[in-house]
């Protein structure tokens, strides 16, 4: 679209006077014609042509989508980039080739349709969760990309120049858009996030100066006109994820006679993405006989069992939706108690008895 224009005003064109040699209407003697110096003629002619250039400079821009891909709320930051392609075309009559054009473009990015501010910007999921992110003008991601309407967060500015004989040509350029999703957003839920930057949420503003023989300068600013847009979408996704750890279940010192049951507890800790359903299963161990867990030591094997409840009636296994513990992630650490029991059984030789259990989280 056309932007603001400033150019030299045309000067009046001199008209050439003629008279016949050897003739005077008033009987006066013949007089020689006076000639203007060549330099003055050229300047006068150029001044005449300036008014006939009828130049027009149009500019436009497009942008690729800002795609972050998978984001792990329990992990680190995620960076990505996009590209803006911009161009200006100089159109004029033949005399326009005597002029150069100096175009200054500003590309503004607002809050987006799903945003509520620029610092920070946000993407929204189908569940209404907000993911904070930011758009920057520099690779170090310190200069927030803003708008001509927000002096504290300016837009990206670029210049394009046309020299003489540039009528009908197009000048192009590219700029990198730098995006970042910061770490520490542990409350992000599972889902697809996006923010649409279209319509009023992006704006191309530009102004240009036309200068005879390209003896000019760029405008001091881009103005704030809406000369076009460069729609794009910022997007990211959050997939279910979990981390897990467990403490040792220590039954302590037990009489070798094993005449009474011995109980103990331990803890499984997991941290899963918000809204991610999970199930925790406990394996049979390394010495099991069928479904019976056993510890091994100097005197052979000692039977024991692990349960999901304090009453030790609900065995803890690995069959999903049957003998596992289920829940939903909160983004924070969740702790589960493992209830263990060594039942009364025949005496064993004194010593240390152990087993290893694999904890499995399905999400």
């Amino acid at each position: 679209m056309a932007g603001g224009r400033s150019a030299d005003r045309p000067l009046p064109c001199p008209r050439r006077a003629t008279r016949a040699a050897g003739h005077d209407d008033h009987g006066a003697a013949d007089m020689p014609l006076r000639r203007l110096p060549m330099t003055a003629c050229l300047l006068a002619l150029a001044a005449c042509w300036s008014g006939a250039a009828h130049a027009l400079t149009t500019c436009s821009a497009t942008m690729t989508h800002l795609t972050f891909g998978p984001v792990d709320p329990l992990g680190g930051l995620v960076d990505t980039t996009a590209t803006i392609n911009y161009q200006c075309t100089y159109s004029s009559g033949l005399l326009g080739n005597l002029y150069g054009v100096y175009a200054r473009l500003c590309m503004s990015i607002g809050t987006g349709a799903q945003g509520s501010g620029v610092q920070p910007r946000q993407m929204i999921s189908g569940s209404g969760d907000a993911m904070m992110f930011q758009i920057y003008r520099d690779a170090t991601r310190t200069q927030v990309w803003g708008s001509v309407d927000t002096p504290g967060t300016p837009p990206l500015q670029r210049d394009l120049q046309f020299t003489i004989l540039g009528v009908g040509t197009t000048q192009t350029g590219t700029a990198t858009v730098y995006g970042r999703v910061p770490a520490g957003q542990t409350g992000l839920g599972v889902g697809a996030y996006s923010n649409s930057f279209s319509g009023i949420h992006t704006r191309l503003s530009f102004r240009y100066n036309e200068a005879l023989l390209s003896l000019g300068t760029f405008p001091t600013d881009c103005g704030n006109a809406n000369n076009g847009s460069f729609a794009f979408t910022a997007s990211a996704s959050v997939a279910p994820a979990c981390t897990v750890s467990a403490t040792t279940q220590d039954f302590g010192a037990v009489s070798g006679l094993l005449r009474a049951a011995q109980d103990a507890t331990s803890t499984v800790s997991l941290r899963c993405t918000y809204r991610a359903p999970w199930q925790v299963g406990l394996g049979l161990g390394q010495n099991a006989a069928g479904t019976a867990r056993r510890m091994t030591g100097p005197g052979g094997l000692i039977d024991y069992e692990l349960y999901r409840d304090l009453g030790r009636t609900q065995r803890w296994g690995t069959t999903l939706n049957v003998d596992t513990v289920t829940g939903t992630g909160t983004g924070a650490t969740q702790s589960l108690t493992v209830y263990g029991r060594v039942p009364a059984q025949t005496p064993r030789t004194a010593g240390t008895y152990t087993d290893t259990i694999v904890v499995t989280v399905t999400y």
Side-chain angles (χ1 to χ4, degrees):
M1 298 180 65
R5 170 191 173 189
S6 59
D8 298 334
R9 296 178 60 86
L11 299 175
C13 299
R15 296 183 179 178
R16 181 179 178 183
T18 59
R19 62 185 298 163
H23 175 78
D24 190 321
D25 291 337
H26 302 286
D30 292 340
M31 297 180 64
L33 291 175
R34 295 190 178 185
R35 301 181 181 276
L36 293 174
M38 181 61 67
T39 301
C41 289
L42 289 177
L43 290 176
L45 182 59
C48 291
W49 283 352
S50 69
H54 299 297
L56 177 65
T57 299
T58 58
C59 300
S60 62
T62 60
M63 179 173 161
T64 60
H65 295 304
L66 193 65
T67 304
F68 290 96
V71 173
D72 182 0
L74 310 181
L77 58 82
V78 177
D79 286 342
T80 193
T81 60
T83 301
I84 284 186
N85 297 288
Y86 55 92
Q87 66 176 35
C88 292
T89 300
Y90 179 39
S91 303
S92 179
L94 179 62
L95 299 183
N97 280 311
L98 292 177
Y99 288 79
V101 175
Y102 298 81
R104 176 154 290 174
L105 298 78
C106 287
M107 287 153 276
S108 300
I109 300 178
T111 63
Q114 286 72 45
S116 59
V118 173
Q119 294 195 4
R121 292 179 166 96
Q122 65 180 21
M123 294 176 278
I124 303 297
S125 72
S127 299
D129 298 328
M131 177 187 294
M132 302 300 106
F133 79 105
Q134 194 50 275
I135 302 173
Y136 299 92
R137 293 173 284 128
D138 63 318
T140 59
R141 291 171 170 81
T142 58
Q143 301 173 14
V144 174
W145 193 318
S147 165
V148 292
D149 299 323
T150 55
T153 52
L156 183 75
Q157 178 179 295
R158 288 291 185 267
D159 293 335
L160 291 176
Q161 180 180 354
F162 296 84
T163 60
I164 60 173
L165 304 179
V167 171
T169 63
T170 297
Q171 298 289 336
T172 64
T174 63
T176 301
V177 183
Y178 301 92
R180 169 168 290 175
V181 173
Q185 302 185 68
T186 57
L188 291 176
V190 175
Y193 292 74
S194 66
N195 190 351
S196 176
F197 291 81
S198 59
I200 63 172
H201 299 290
T202 64
R203 184 197 311 177
L204 172 65
S205 304
F206 68 92
R207 297 179 63 192
Y208 60 92
N209 290 336
E210 297 172 358
L212 179 62
L213 303 179
S214 291
L215 301 176
T217 59
F218 289 98
T220 56
D221 57 53
C222 308
N224 59 4
N226 187 353
N227 300 122
S229 62
F230 44 96
F232 70 96
T233 297
S235 64
S237 63
V238 173
C242 293
T243 60
V244 64
S245 62
T247 62
T248 298
Q249 184 156 121
D250 188 355
F251 289 96
V254 180
S255 169
L257 298 177
L258 296 176
R259 292 176 177 174
Q262 183 74 19
D263 292 343
T265 61
S266 60
T267 302
V268 171
S269 299
L270 70 156
R271 188 178 182 185
C272 295
T273 310
Y274 181 48
R275 291 200 178 97
W278 50 258
Q279 296 193 45
V280 175
L282 300 182
L284 290 172
Q286 297 176 327
N287 311 291
T291 59
R293 293 182 170 99
R294 301 185 298 181
M295 291 180 282
T296 184
L301 298 168
I302 293 179
D303 296 335
Y304 76 101
E305 195 51 84
L306 303 175
Y307 301 91
R308 293 168 283 151
D309 64 315
L310 178 62
R312 290 171 171 79
T313 60
Q314 301 174 17
R315 184 180 179 280
W316 197 330
T318 57
T319 304
L320 297 179
N321 301 312
V322 175
D323 58 5
T324 57
V325 175
T326 64
T328 302
T330 64
T333 299
Q334 297 169 276
S335 297
L336 308 175
T337 300
V338 182
Y339 300 93
R341 172 168 289 175
V342 175
Q345 51 197 288
T346 58
R348 299 292 193 277
T349 302
T352 300
Y353 292 77
T354 62
D355 193 14
T356 300
I357 298 294
V358 175
V359 180
T360 302
V361 181
T362 302
Y363 52 89

